[in-house]
């Protein structure tokens, strides 16, 4: 055999092996994998820009952030990942501190300025302006902003009178809807939209009652005069659920279809006028309402309701020895995630609405409670902040124990303002290199 032929036989397997190595598939990210990165170091070095008020409006994420030169002002991040100042509303280093950022159509409304008034922005400096000086004698302090069919409804103060207002984004189109209580403040709050109607709590001449409005003076009326101190207003389909009191019962779960006759207590969960179930954490999941409530013996557990007495019941007695006190409800598909206590240990739980389907997801902190908070669904996963021996960290869960894991635990800590945007999770978090800044965790689909 020639020397050249022997060389060819030796080289060929190596060449084939190299070729196969090049063509062999490389490892790819799997669905549910996450990648975390800094969005922008708004306040360079380890100083803090304190991002807050994260609000999604279409393809833009708005928020407030602080720098020594600009103060606390309105910023934005686009779907393309560009983060920039919208406008320095208060000149120099003074802060406008925008809050209650609310999308309406292609714009956002918010309260801002050292003279707290209503502002509007289309995301450009020129398109960011004060709508109206509602209270020339002081702050109008707009709160409870909601979008009702393209019109902004909100609560505002003029003089010493806090009432319901509306705005179309112009000065002349920003007017008081109705003086609900001519004697004192009606203090409208918890504005909740269902279709073409906004429900809210107001103090009228009979006390704290449930009201509704279509945005007009004539269409702003009290729903009924029986339920007192309505709170936790929550829309489920075409119904409004809330907690309220009446002269016969303690604070219980109520439902309303917007009429006096269709507004009634759902069920007296804690029997007797001196005992209250005090529903909290009202959360809509499809056509059902999930909530936390106490029974007659004072045991606070997980409940579900379809709006009828028969269909309102405890899902599971999670902690037979004490209250499980479920909190922080958030839905992912038809599953509800929440924090609950069993045997003194507060961990992550999930439920499908049945006793058998209500289970602890994982014992995240084996040496104590992980106390999950800020539960937020994004990209098919549930994210939350949990306490571990290493500190407060960002975690993710697919609903299974093995699929419940920390997200880059050595990169950032103390996540807040968790917000779903463009199939990614945005949040403020702390790092040793950048301080408190805006971060993003992308989720593989």
């Amino acid at each position: 055999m020639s020397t050249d032929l022997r060389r060819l036989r030796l080289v060929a397997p190596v060449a084939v092996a190299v070729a196969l190595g090049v063509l062999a598939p490389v490892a790819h990210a799997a669905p549910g994998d996450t990648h975390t990165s800094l969005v922008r170091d708004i306040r360079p070095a380890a100083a803090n820009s304190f991002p807050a008020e994260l609000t999604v409006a279409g393809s833009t994420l708005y928020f407030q952030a602080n720098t020594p030169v600009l103060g606390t002002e309105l910023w934005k991040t686009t779907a393309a990942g560009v983060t920039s100042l919208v406008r320095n509303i208060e000149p120099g280093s003074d802060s406008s501190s925008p809050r209650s950022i609310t999308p309406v159509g292609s714009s956002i409304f918010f309260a801002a300025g050292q003279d707290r008034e209503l502002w509007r922005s289309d995301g450009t400096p020129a398109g960011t302006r004060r709508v109206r000086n509602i209270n020339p004698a002081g702050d109008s302090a707009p709160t409870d902003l909601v979008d009702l069919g393209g019109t902004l409804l909100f609560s505002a103060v003029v003089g010493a009178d806090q009432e319901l207002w509306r705005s179309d984004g112009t000065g002349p189109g920003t007017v008081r809807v109705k003086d609900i209580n001519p004697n004192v403040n009606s203090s409208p709050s918890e504005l909740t939209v269902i279709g073409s109607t906004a429900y809210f709590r107001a103090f009228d001449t009979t006390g704290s009652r449930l009201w509704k409005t279509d945005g007009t003076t004539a269409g702003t009326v009290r729903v009924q005069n029986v339920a007192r101190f309505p709170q936790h207003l929550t829309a489920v389909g075409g119904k409004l659920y809330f907690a309220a009191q009446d002269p016969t019962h303690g604070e219980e779960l109520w439902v309303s279809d917007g009429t006096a006759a269709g507004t009634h207590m759902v069920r007296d969960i804690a029997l007797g006028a001196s005992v209250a179930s005090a529903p909290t954490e009202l959360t809509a999941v499809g056509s059902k309402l999930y909530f936390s409530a106490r029974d007659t013996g004072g045991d606070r557990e997980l409940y579900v309701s379809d709006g009828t007495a028969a269909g309102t019941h405890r899902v599971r007695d999670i902690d037979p020895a004490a209250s499980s006190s479920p909190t922080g409800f958030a839905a992912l598909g038809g599953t509800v995630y929440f924090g609950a206590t069993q045997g003194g240990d507060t961990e992550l739980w999930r439920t499908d609405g049945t006793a058998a389907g209500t289970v602890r997801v994982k014992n995240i902190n084996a040496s104590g409670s992980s106390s999950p908070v800020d539960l937020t669904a994004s990209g098919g996963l549930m994210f939350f902040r949990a306490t571990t021996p290493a500190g407060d960290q960002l975690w993710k869960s697919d609903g299974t124990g093995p699929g419940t894991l920390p997200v880059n635990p050595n990169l950032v800590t103390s996540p807040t303002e968790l917000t779903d945007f463009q199939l990614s999770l945005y949040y403020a978090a702390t790092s040793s290199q950048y301080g408190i800044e805006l971060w993003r965790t992308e989720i593989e689909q």
Side-chain angles (χ1 to χ4, degrees):
M1 183 182 294
S2 69
T3 302
D4 289 342
L5 184 56
R6 285 196 300 268
R7 286 176 178 172
L8 182 59
R9 287 180 173 179
L10 290 172
V11 170
V14 175
V16 172
V18 172
L20 289 174
V22 171
L23 296 175
V26 296
H28 291 288
D33 285 353
T34 56
H35 314 281
T36 298
S37 59
L38 179 71
V39 176
R40 177 174 170 179
D41 190 8
I42 295 173
R43 189 166 179 172
N48 306 316
S49 72
F50 299 110
E53 299 283 329
L54 274 64
T55 304
V56 175
S59 60
T60 304
L61 176 71
Y62 291 92
F63 59 99
Q64 64 163 244
N66 176 273
T67 70
V69 175
L70 302 172
T72 301
E73 295 294 344
L74 182 67
W75 287 68
K76 68 177 182 179
T77 292
T78 66
V82 178
T83 300
S84 60
L85 175 74
V86 176
R87 177 180 167 184
N88 188 15
I89 293 172
E90 289 289 349
S93 60
D94 289 338
S95 297
S96 71
S97 302
R99 296 191 182 96
S100 301
I101 303 171
T102 303
V104 178
S106 60
S107 299
I108 58 167
F109 288 81
F110 54 97
Q114 295 187 353
D115 177 18
R116 302 298 294 175
E117 291 294 343
L118 181 67
W119 283 68
R120 181 184 186 183
S121 177
D122 62 3
T124 68
T128 303
R129 56 179 175 77
R130 188 176 69 182
V131 177
R132 176 182 167 183
N133 187 8
I134 295 172
N135 189 0
D139 298 344
S140 69
T143 59
D144 292 272
L145 283 62
V146 296
D147 176 10
L148 180 64
T151 296
L152 180 77
L153 292 180
F154 60 102
S155 178
V157 176
V158 175
D161 190 18
Q162 184 178 9
E163 296 293 344
L164 182 68
W165 285 65
R166 71 170 187 261
S167 177
D168 63 2
T170 69
T174 301
V175 296
R176 187 177 67 185
V177 176
K178 185 171 186 173
D179 189 2
I180 293 172
N181 193 340
N183 301 320
V184 293
N185 295 328
S186 72
S187 301
S189 63
E190 297 200 41
L191 274 70
T192 303
V193 174
I194 300 178
S196 59
T197 303
Y199 295 85
F200 58 98
R201 165 181 171 168
F203 288 88
D204 59 30
T205 54
T206 67
S208 175
R209 298 291 186 264
L210 180 67
W211 280 67
K212 67 176 182 179
T213 184
D214 61 4
T216 68
T217 302
T220 303
V221 296
R222 185 174 59 208
V223 176
Q224 55 104 287
N225 196 29
V226 179
R228 302 178 300 179
F229 302 105
Q231 60 178 331
H232 312 312
L233 276 61
T234 304
V236 183
K239 298 178 181 178
L240 180 78
Y241 290 80
F242 56 99
Q245 305 173 20
D246 68 11
T248 307
H249 310 88
E251 186 180 23
E252 296 292 343
L253 182 68
W254 285 64
V255 67
S256 177
D257 63 3
T259 68
T263 302
H264 58 86
M265 186 179 69
V266 178
R267 178 184 164 190
D268 189 9
I269 296 172
L271 300 175
S274 62
V275 183
S277 70
T280 61
E281 306 286 340
L282 277 65
T283 304
V285 182
S287 60
K288 299 290 184 65
L289 177 80
Y290 288 82
F291 60 103
S292 168
R294 294 190 300 244
D295 62 18
T296 306
D299 182 24
R300 180 169 287 278
E301 296 292 344
L302 174 68
Y303 280 74
V304 67
S305 177
D306 63 1
T308 68
T312 302
H313 60 87
R314 186 176 64 190
V315 177
R316 176 182 167 184
D317 189 0
I318 293 173
D319 191 344
S323 293
S324 70
S325 302
T327 59
F329 295 7
L332 179 58
T335 301
V336 180
Y337 291 77
F338 56 98
T341 304
Q342 186 181 69
D345 184 18
T346 305
E347 298 292 344
L348 181 69
W349 285 67
R350 63 176 170 83
T351 184
D352 61 3
T354 68
T358 302
V359 296
R360 188 177 69 179
V361 178
K362 185 172 185 174
N363 186 10
I364 294 171
N365 188 350
S367 61
S369 294
S370 69
S371 302
V373 294
D374 295 335
L375 277 69
T376 305
S378 180
L381 297 172
M382 184 61 67
F383 291 85
F384 55 97
R385 173 175 172 167
T387 300
T388 71
D392 287 345
Q393 300 175 332
L394 180 66
W395 280 66
K396 65 179 180 179
S397 179
D398 63 2
T400 69
T404 301
L405 303 164
V407 179
N408 293 301
N410 298 321
L411 186 60
V412 297
T413 59
S414 304
T416 60
E417 301 273 341
L418 277 61
T419 304
D420 176 39
F421 176 57
Q422 298 288 319
L423 294 177
S424 295
L425 184 78
Y426 284 72
Y427 50 96
T430 303
S431 71
S432 58
Q433 183 176 359
Y434 300 108
I436 302 174
E437 294 292 344
L438 185 65
W439 289 78
R440 174 181 61 237
T441 294
E442 300 174 88
I443 305 107
E444 292 287 344
Q445 299 299 306

